[in-house]
Amino acid sequence: MSIVVIYGSTRQEGNTERLTGRVIEGLDVEEIYLRDFNIQPIDDYRHADGGFPDVDDDYDQLVERMMKHDTFIFATPIYWYSMTGTMKNFIDRWSQTMRDTNFPGFKEQLGTKKAYVVAVGGDKPQVKGLPLIQQFSYIFDFMSISFEGYAIGKASRPGDILKDTSAFLAAAILNEKLKESQ
Amino acid sequence: MSIVVIYGSTRQEGNTERLTGRVIEGLDVEEIYLRDFNIQPIDDYRHADGGFPDVDDDYDQLVERMMKHDTFIFATPIYWYSMTGTMKNFIDRWSQTMRDTNFPGFKEQLGTKKAYVVAVGGDKPQVKGLPLIQQFSYIFDFMSISFEGYAIGKASRPGDILKDTSAFLAAAILNEKLKESQ
Amino acid sequence: MSIVVIYGSTRQEGNTERLTGRVIEGLDVEEIYLRDFNIQPIDDYRHADGGFPDVDDDYDQLVERMMKHDTFIFATPIYWYSMTGTMKNFIDRWSQTMRDTNFPGFKEQLGTKKAYVVAVGGDKPQVKGLPLIQQFSYIFDFMSISFEGYAIGKASRPGDILKDTSAFLAAAILNEKLKESQ
Amino acid sequence: MSIVVIYGSTRQEGNTERLTGRVIEGLDVEEIYLRDFNIQPIDDYRHADGGFPDVDDDYDQLVERMMKHDTFIFATPIYWYSMTGTMKNFIDRWSQTMRDTNFPGFKEQLGTKKAYVVAVGGDKPQVKGLPLIQQFSYIFDFMSISFEGYAIGKASRPGDILKDTSAFLAAAILNEKLKESQ
């Protein structure tokens, strides 16, 4: 098993990254910080004659890095009750990749992957973060990705997450599960 | 009453715009097509000493245009079971505006607004679009915006929405409601 | 096409029944008022050696009546953000019927049925009723029942529903759909 | 702090009770097994002139026992993606108690209570059980009960829950939290 963490946060070493740190403790993982890259929003050419034009940004190389692994961890702060726009733009572009001849079998390959979600929010995330979990579940179902588990943490100010011992225990559970499947 | 439509779609004259056309039929509205503007993802400086630095993009002028109206219509295709990344980036930035001295009373003013949602998706949107509606509901609750109604349509290929007569009737209901409150 | 309406309400001619009246206007339907029957809660013998013992109540005859039709309308007031306990007890018993040799092929036959939901609640039902819709969607998915549509109305006191013109338009949409498929 | 567990399961010593056993380990609690009592579905007389008639069943004594405690644990198997009909009937009757002069201040008193949920289901409960969590959240919000946490377990056959180590860790987290607040 080989793991990639895809971070949607826009702040360095924030609460989401700390909680995710517990999830991947002792594991060898590749980490992609989406904020460090130029990812354009999708421009919907699904139904245009020539299909999608090439986009001059970093998206393709990130997908290549992601697809080398068989287990994905999506780690995102909860902004306005969903993933960050930064992560959403990355996932929106999957619609393009599904039609990109440079990525043949993209959907089929995703169907062999496993995924975890780590999400941290400030406003009752254990309840108000559930639509986000449902959205991820639908995304994974569409791609036949196996949804292996999630951890939700509560935090607003830097370091807050350290007080959410429940979240760290939930993260430890995911850590155990990841270790077992390695 | 004065209405602004905020479009999250990335394709011109797509299904979402057509369905929204029924919602605003016969009404005088301002229309903002987010895709025509440069909107940077939020960079989270909420907890930084100097606060948020200025961002050189079109976001601020769009908020100014939006805030002149008292009724907002958020019209978005459902990409991956949520609003488009383009629209999400716009809303994520509200966290910055809430702390921007150029927009004093931003949250308080939002608390006087009314909002509608129009969403169009291809994969069982009447059910799989509900987390998106819940998410909008949480956003509006946080800002004390009054959530007045929504219409969900089903469409994938260009023009598909014309076959969803139920969606157009739902749009007509919103149109009636908007006309009554004018 | 032949239609059965299953009412979960406990009050006669209440808001749910009035709204459902619009859904079935001009249609020939069988109506089952669950409140008029003795339906025991399920007693979980799924894993007991002898299986489920016979239950001396009206449940079986109601299932027989329901299964004669190919389109089901579940009409329920929203009590505490879900269907009434009366309706829940009826559906819970399906787990027994799936293992009842008197109902061979129960699940397979359900897989050929279509279903609609009409739900009326007093506390922001257009948003707070959505978990109920998701729950029905999961039930129908499990049984491979086709979920054709739903109407949500807002009402608390008797007759309140008459003021919810949007709900009646939504009901009219379902009425059209039912008529077309006849 | 004083704790009451309200069990909605219909089978003795089932998976839900086992998981709940971990939640209350080492704690002094009162346990109410709803299946052992006669609880009639609510008959909606909210708007009738004389109000609700008395009901000759065990409901009132159960509410009295529940209200002596300040922390409630609702433990239910997930039947058809929600609480059991047995538990739903119990909660539906709260609408009657809110108007019962024998229980003055019922809603106000509930507003001082804390609540936990333990739910066990067989079909992807970590995702398909989320509407149930949202429903409980709305119930608690309506009554101003503080929703302190939940644990979701996966199990179908007797004893299955023992294999869900994640659920037992989640239960242990709730156990810690309950002990701390004692």
Side-chain angles (χ1 to χ4, degrees), chain C residues 10-11 41-44 47 79-83 85-86 88-89 91-92 95 134-135 138 142-143 156 158, chain D residues 10-11 41-44 47 79-83 85-86 88-89 91-92 95 134-135 138 142-143 156 158:
Chain C
T10 68
R11 194 157 52 82
I42 195 168
D43 208 349
D44 182 5
H47 313 291
Y79 284 178
W80 298 104
Y81 312 103
S82 187
M83 67 181 79
T86 300
K88 188 61 172 35
N89 273 340
I91 288 181
D92 280 358
S95 300
Q134 293 174 318
Q135 181 192 337
Y138 287 140
F142 185 89
M143 290 301 205
S156 295
Chain D
T10 68
R11 194 156 53 83
I42 195 169
D43 208 349
D44 182 6
H47 313 292
Y79 284 179
W80 296 104
Y81 312 102
S82 188
M83 66 181 81
T86 300
K88 188 60 171 36
N89 273 341
I91 288 181
D92 281 358
S95 301
Q134 293 174 318
Q135 287 167 349
Y138 286 139
F142 185 89
M143 290 303 203
S156 294

Side-chain angles (χ1 to χ4, degrees), chain C residues 143-158:
Chain C
M143 290 301 205
S144 303
I145 297 170
S146 175
F147 192 0
E148 297 289 313
Y150 56 88
I152 299 175
K154 179 169 167 49
S156 295
R157 299 189 58 81

Side-chain angles (χ1 to χ4, degrees), chain A residues 82-150:
Chain A
S82 189
M83 68 182 79
T84 62
T86 299
M87 181 174 276
K88 188 60 170 37
N89 273 341
F90 176 73
I91 288 181
D92 280 359
R93 289 283 293 283
W94 290 8
S95 301
Q96 179 167 354
T97 308
M98 285 171 66
R99 292 160 181 82
D100 188 337
T101 52
N102 292 322
F103 291 92
F106 177 62
K107 190 178 176 185
E108 289 67 28
Q109 287 165 42
L110 282 177
T112 67
K113 310 294 187 186
K114 296 179 174 181
Y116 293 81
V117 171
V118 180
V120 176
D123 182 19
K124 297 189 181 171
Q126 299 288 346
V127 169
K128 296 190 180 178
L130 299 187
L132 168 62
I133 299 300
Q134 293 174 318
Q135 287 166 349
F136 267 117
S137 172
Y138 287 139
I139 293 170
F140 298 152
D141 276 357
F142 185 89
M143 290 302 204
S144 303
I145 296 171
S146 175
F147 192 0
E148 298 288 313
Y150 57 87

Side-chain angles (χ1 to χ4, degrees), chain B residues 170-182:
Chain B
I173 294 171
L174 299 191
N175 182 257
E176 284 295 318
K177 200 166 172 180
L178 283 162
K179 280 181 174 163
E180 275 167 25
S181 60
Q182 253 189 337

